[in-house]
Amino acid sequence: TLKISFPKKKNLFKKHHLCLLASVIFLSPYLRTSTFWGLEEVIGILIMLISIYYFKLNEIKKSSYTLFLCIFFTCLAFYCRQSYIFLLSFIFFSLIDYKKVFGKINFLIVFYFIIFLIPALYTFFIWKSVFPPIDAAHDRLKLLLLYHLPYIFNIILIYIIPFILLQNLNEIKKFLISNKYLFLIAFLLNLLLFNFIEISSNGGGAMSKIMIILLGKGIIFNLIFSLTSSISFFLIYFICLNSKKLTIFFISIIFTFLNISTIFQEYFDPIVFVFLLVFFPYKKLNYGQINRFTFLTAIYYSAFLISALFYYYKIL
């Protein structure tokens, strides 16, 4: 997937870059745990990667065959785990031709999705929910829990940090200064949402756990967590200015998990990293930046894995 995703003309990514970046996914503590226990999300991640592969291949070949396989594997991922509705949304709105709304391609896209999702309608009818009965019994499905936003943004921040190395820091600084009032509003909104949050050790992501250990629960935690959440929001906004596909992805995944009762880091790991890696706009970069990014990303995720292991075996 990486081989067909990155620019070939500039030859920015060498084989050792691709190999190392493709291997970073195995440093995910959540993927490793899920693999060890044989959880269903592992199959979902595998099928999601196949779906992304055919999506990228379809961008190059533009054939009904690659389109068919992309949508087929997207729907399979949804059957593995219903939270992959974000993938359905991403693939659908990325494939649709907005210039020819009633064109042949759009008809095929809608037709394939309807055909492949018919079994889901029957399954949900039997379950009487979009979740399996055991999950529905735990009341996992909620509607638009906006107070999850600080948690979601802080979880995503972990995966954005390596990609900031590819950005011009002066441009980011100018962007924040020119949007300082919007940043202030975002900070105040995040702080306001804490009035509806009952901070728990169950879920919340790695950032919240680290801050609880260092700061404890209280006003300082609320201020710092709201600040990092607002920073994450602006970095997402900044990156998405140059990537329509990442815009669709972040809107889809954030909206999806605003409807889940408890937020866990594993919902976003390694999915966010995969989408950032594949769909990040690399056009203005040079070989030196790519080389530095590749090795620092591997080091960063290695540190993340070590930190997670330390937390589970020492703190817990």
Side-chain angles (χ1 to χ4, degrees):
T1 302
L2 295 180
K3 285 174 68 176
I4 63 174
S5 297
F6 294 144
K8 294 183 178 180
K9 292 182 179 179
K10 293 184 179 180
N11 199 26
L12 292 176
F13 289 89
K14 305 296 183 182
K15 287 185 179 179
H16 64 279
H17 292 146
L18 298 177
C19 182
L20 191 56
L21 287 172
S23 301
V24 166
I25 192 174
F26 298 114
L27 295 173
S28 161
Y30 306 96
L31 178 62
R32 289 165 61 87
T33 301
S34 298
T35 304
F36 180 83
W37 292 107
L39 302 182
E40 74 275 7
E41 52 259 39
V42 178
I43 304 172
I45 289 170
L46 172 62
I47 296 177
M48 179 195 74
L49 289 172
I50 297 172
S51 172
I52 293 173
Y53 169 77
Y54 281 111
F55 176 82
K56 297 298 293 186
L57 200 60
N58 184 68
E59 286 186 325
I60 299 171
K61 295 189 174 182
K62 298 288 184 182
S63 71
S64 57
Y65 173 74
T66 54
L67 181 68
F68 174 91
L69 289 176
C70 172
I71 297 174
F72 174 72
F73 282 106
T74 298
C75 294
L76 281 186
F78 176 66
Y79 285 117
C80 291
R81 195 175 178 89
Q82 282 65 64
S83 59
Y84 276 78
I85 192 171
F86 80 84
L87 183 63
L88 290 178
S89 176
F90 170 80
I91 295 296
F92 179 82
F93 288 107
S94 297
L95 288 175
I96 285 292
D97 186 350
Y98 295 96
K99 295 180 180 179
K100 299 179 181 178
V101 178
F102 299 102
K104 177 183 175 182
I105 295 298
N106 286 356
F107 172 79
L108 280 176
I109 292 169
V110 173
F111 176 75
Y112 288 152
F113 269 110
I114 290 174
I115 293 298
F116 295 143
L117 290 176
I118 285 176
L121 299 177
Y122 175 72
T123 304
F124 296 157
F125 173 78
I126 297 297
W127 288 350
K128 298 180 181 179
S129 170
V130 295
F131 289 111
I134 189 171
D135 289 335
H138 288 92
D139 196 25
R140 293 183 60 190
L141 181 62
K142 303 288 184 178
L143 292 177
L144 285 180
L145 301 177
L146 295 177
Y147 55 79
H148 280 332
L149 281 172
Y151 285 123
I152 292 174
F153 284 132
N154 273 288
I155 290 172
I156 292 174
L157 179 61
I158 292 173
Y159 307 103
I160 286 180
I161 288 173
F163 292 88
I164 297 305
L165 299 172
L166 295 172
Q167 302 287 344
N168 186 313
L169 296 181
N170 288 327
E171 287 185 12
I172 295 177
K173 183 179 178 181
K174 291 178 181 177
F175 178 74
L176 288 173
I177 291 174
S178 62
N179 293 276
K180 55 182 178 293
Y181 294 115
L182 184 58
F183 180 84
L184 179 61
I185 292 171
F187 172 73
L188 293 175
L189 285 175
N190 278 304
L191 195 58
L192 177 64
L193 291 173
F194 266 101
N195 293 321
F196 304 94
I197 297 175
E198 183 179 348
I199 300 172
S200 171
S201 58
N202 183 35
M207 288 282 283
S208 66
K209 290 180 171 62
I210 291 170
M211 290 189 188
I212 288 172
I213 292 170
L214 296 177
L215 304 172
K217 299 177 183 179
I219 186 63
I220 301 299
F221 170 85
N222 294 356
L223 289 170
I224 299 297
F225 202 71
S226 297
L227 179 62
T228 53
S229 176
S230 302
I231 291 172
S232 176
F233 165 74
F234 260 81
L235 291 177
I236 292 170
Y237 185 21
F238 181 80
I239 291 173
C240 288
L241 288 176
N242 297 312
S243 176
K244 177 185 174 182
K245 291 183 177 63
L246 283 180
T247 301
I248 296 172
F249 165 69
F250 280 118
I251 290 174
S252 299
I253 197 168
I254 289 172
F255 183 80
T256 295
F257 289 112
L258 281 178
N259 299 287
I260 304 294
S261 58
T262 305
I263 299 296
F264 291 97
Q265 183 98 18
E266 66 190 58
Y267 294 161
F268 299 85
D269 187 298
I271 293 170
V272 175
F273 171 72
V274 169
F275 272 83
L276 280 168
L277 189 60
V278 174
F279 296 104
F280 189 86
Y282 295 95
K283 294 180 180 179
K284 297 180 181 179
L285 303 178
N286 56 51
Y287 177 80
Q289 289 174 302
I290 296 298
N291 195 54
R292 183 169 61 253
F293 164 73
T294 302
F295 289 100
L296 287 179
T297 298
I299 294 171
Y300 174 80
Y301 277 93
S302 297
F304 183 50
L305 173 60
I306 292 169
S307 301
L309 293 174
F310 176 80
Y311 176 81
Y312 284 115
Y313 290 106
K314 296 295 183 181
I315 303 299
L316 293 184

